[in-house]
């Protein structure tokens, strides 16, 4: 659907316009690296708490666009708090308020897109690729623009693009709300009592730890290996570009071989990339391994969102998506940031990537086991029905 494609293109265009440069902007304002680290940590903790709460609220509304619209309006407004204020206390306040709405918008978007897409017969991967396309394009352009206009202009671009995002949200089709609305206590109970969903989160957390650690510490890996740091931007760009066609491929593969096998392939791709970085001393092999990174992310992002939907009910879709994002991305980022640095200091960056290889291979094996258990359960259900 054109409205969904336009939404994801504009949404990730806005994310690319601001998020990678916020810490650089604060640094240019004279904020110390220690305080920036504190702000980012507070940001991560806020995201872990905010996303499930916003998801539960969203599932109780008749129009599931409302919370997302609220996030789209308030995120750029609250972002200006970093632009206008320099006092530490004010920055701490906005490091709670801004991520509360900004972090929730991504998982709420995915929940809404999967729901609309399922009604229209469109896979999530074919929608999400438009976000990968805009982010990769913006990655090339924004750095050049901000060198001339300054990082402060990123807030204004973020505001303008979010205004366009809000306009697209009004074009989304209205979905009939669930007839059964649960209290927030019952929503939380649905999550806690769903053992298969919690097990799935645990496996995905292993993969997300690798994603978070790689994203945060790849520049340090370059420094430790003695590579030219000018190549760092290229590594991220290679992964972003290959994501675009791979999201389309993943949409086809989800239907053809199933989501859990696709997730297994994603984990294996991440493992192969990490193993390469653990043992290579060739910059060109490192750059080539980013193709595996882009493939893995596209496979993982598209299949995991659809798997989460399969575990949830109509009245808990946003709740399950936001809980999944809070634990795998939010908590995974916190754990990865804390332990990644310790591993590098104690044993070096190559050994860290070998640990990530082991985590991803463990996840791949667990995805295979989960797929076999799922197929066995489906077969048993079919046999019971045939006997009736």
């Amino acid at each position: 659907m054109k409205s969904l494609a336009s939404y994801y293109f504009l949404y990730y265009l806005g994310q690319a316009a601001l998020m990678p440069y916020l810490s650089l902007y604060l640094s240019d304002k004279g904020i110390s690296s220690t305080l920036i680290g504190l702000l980012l940590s507070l940001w991560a903790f806020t995201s872990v708490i905010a996303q499930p709460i916003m998801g539960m609220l969203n599932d109780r509304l008749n129009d599931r666009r409302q919370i997302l619209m609220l996030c789209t309006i308030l995120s750029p407004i609250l972002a200006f708090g970093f632009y206008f204020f320099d006092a530490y206390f004010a920055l701490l306040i906005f490091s709670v308020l801004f991520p509360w709405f900004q972090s929730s918008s991504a998982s709420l978007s995915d929940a809404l897109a999967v729901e609309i897409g399922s009604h229209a017969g469109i896979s999530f991967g074919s929608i999400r690729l438009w976000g990968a396309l805009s982010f990769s394009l913006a990655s090339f352009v924004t750095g050049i623009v901000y060198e001339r206009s300054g990082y402060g202009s990123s807030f204004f671009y973020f505001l303008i693009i979010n205004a366009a995002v809000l306009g697209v949200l009004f074009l989304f089709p209205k979905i009939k709300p669930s007839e059964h609305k649960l209290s927030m206590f019952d929503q939380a109970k649905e999550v806690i009592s769903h053992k298969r969903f919690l097990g799935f989160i645990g496996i995905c957390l292993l993969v997300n730890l690798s994603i978070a650690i790689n994203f945060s510490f790849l520049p340090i890996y370059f420094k430790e290996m003695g590579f030219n740091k000018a190549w760092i931007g290229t590594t991220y760009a290679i992964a972003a570009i290959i994501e675009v066609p791979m999201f389309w491929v993943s949409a086809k593969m989800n239907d053809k071989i199933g989501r859990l096998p696709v997730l297994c392939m994603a984990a294996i791709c991440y493992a192969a990339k990490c193993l390469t970085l653990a043992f290579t001393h060739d910059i060109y092999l490192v750059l080539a391994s980013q193709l595996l990174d882009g493939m893995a992310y596209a496979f993982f992002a598209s299949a995991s969102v659809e798997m989460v939907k399969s575990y949830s009910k109509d009245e808990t879709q946003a709740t399950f998506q936001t809980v999944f994002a809070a634990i795998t991305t939010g908590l995974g980022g916190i754990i990865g940031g804390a332990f990644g640095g310790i591993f590098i200091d104690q044993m070096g960056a190559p050994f860290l990537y070998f640990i990530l290889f082991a985590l991803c291979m463990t996840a791949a094996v667990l995805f295979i086991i989960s797929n076999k258990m799922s197929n066995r359960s489906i077969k048993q259900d079919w046999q019971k029905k045939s006997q009736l």
Side-chain angles (χ1 to χ4, degrees), residues 71-132:
C71 292
T72 304
I73 293 170
L74 291 182
S75 291
I77 294 173
L78 292 170
F80 273 100
F82 299 106
Y83 183 83
F84 288 112
F85 295 94
D86 297 323
Y88 291 174
F89 183 70
L91 293 175
L92 288 172
I93 291 175
F94 283 105
S95 292
V96 173
L97 295 177
F98 173 64
W100 186 280
F101 296 96
Q102 186 275 331
S103 66
S104 301
S105 62
S107 50
L108 290 174
S109 299
D110 292 345
L112 189 59
V114 170
E115 189 173 5
I116 295 173
S118 63
H119 284 83
I122 302 172
S123 65
F124 177 73
S126 62
I127 300 168
R128 180 62 176 78
L129 68 86
W130 293 98

Side-chain angles (χ1 to χ4, degrees), residues 112-317:
L112 189 59
V114 170
E115 189 173 5
I116 295 173
S118 63
H119 284 83
I122 302 172
S123 65
F124 177 73
S126 62
I127 300 168
R128 180 62 176 78
L129 68 86
W130 293 98
L133 176 62
S134 65
F135 197 91
S136 61
L137 292 174
S139 297
F140 286 105
V141 176
T142 50
I144 299 172
V145 172
Y146 296 154
E147 280 294 320
R148 298 180 179 179
S149 62
Y151 295 122
S153 61
S154 62
F155 295 94
F156 296 92
Y157 289 118
F158 188 59
L159 176 65
I160 294 169
I161 295 170
N162 270 268
V165 171
L166 182 63
V168 173
L169 278 172
F170 282 101
L171 302 177
F172 278 19
K174 289 187 177 180
I175 297 176
K176 185 179 179 181
S178 173
E179 296 179 359
H180 304 92
K181 291 186 179 180
L182 302 177
S183 67
M184 294 184 74
F185 174 79
D186 288 333
Q187 288 172 307
K189 186 178 178 181
E190 282 284 327
V191 173
I192 296 171
S193 62
H194 203 308
K195 295 180 180 179
R196 289 179 61 195
F197 174 60
L198 295 177
F200 178 73
I201 288 179
I203 302 172
C204 290
L205 181 59
L206 298 177
V207 180
N208 267 92
L209 280 171
S210 302
I211 296 172
I213 291 173
N214 174 72
F215 188 83
S216 300
F217 293 100
L218 185 61
I220 296 177
Y221 168 83
F222 266 68
K223 180 180 179 181
E224 188 170 311
M225 298 300 292
F227 295 147
N228 186 343
K229 290 189 285 293
W231 287 106
I232 294 175
T234 304
T235 61
Y236 290 123
I238 291 172
I241 292 171
I242 198 63
E243 284 175 19
V244 179
M246 286 299 107
F247 267 110
W248 182 84
V249 172
S250 68
K252 302 296 181 183
M253 293 178 65
N254 285 334
D255 294 333
K256 190 171 183 179
I257 66 174
R259 298 157 189 155
L260 286 170
V262 171
L263 286 167
C264 178
M265 292 175 62
I268 291 172
C269 286
Y270 272 127
K273 176 257 177 72
C274 293
L275 188 64
T276 301
L277 268 63
F279 290 102
T280 189
H281 293 276
D282 188 335
I283 181 61
Y284 297 107
L285 281 177
V286 173
L287 294 175
S289 72
Q290 289 300 106
L291 295 172
L292 291 170
D293 191 286
M295 291 171 59
Y297 181 80
F299 290 168
F300 183 80
S302 63
S304 61
V305 169
E306 293 195 7
M307 275 300 299
V308 173
K309 182 183 183 301
S310 71
Y311 291 127
S312 65
K313 300 177 181 178
D314 288 343
E315 59 268 27
T316 57
Q317 287 192 38

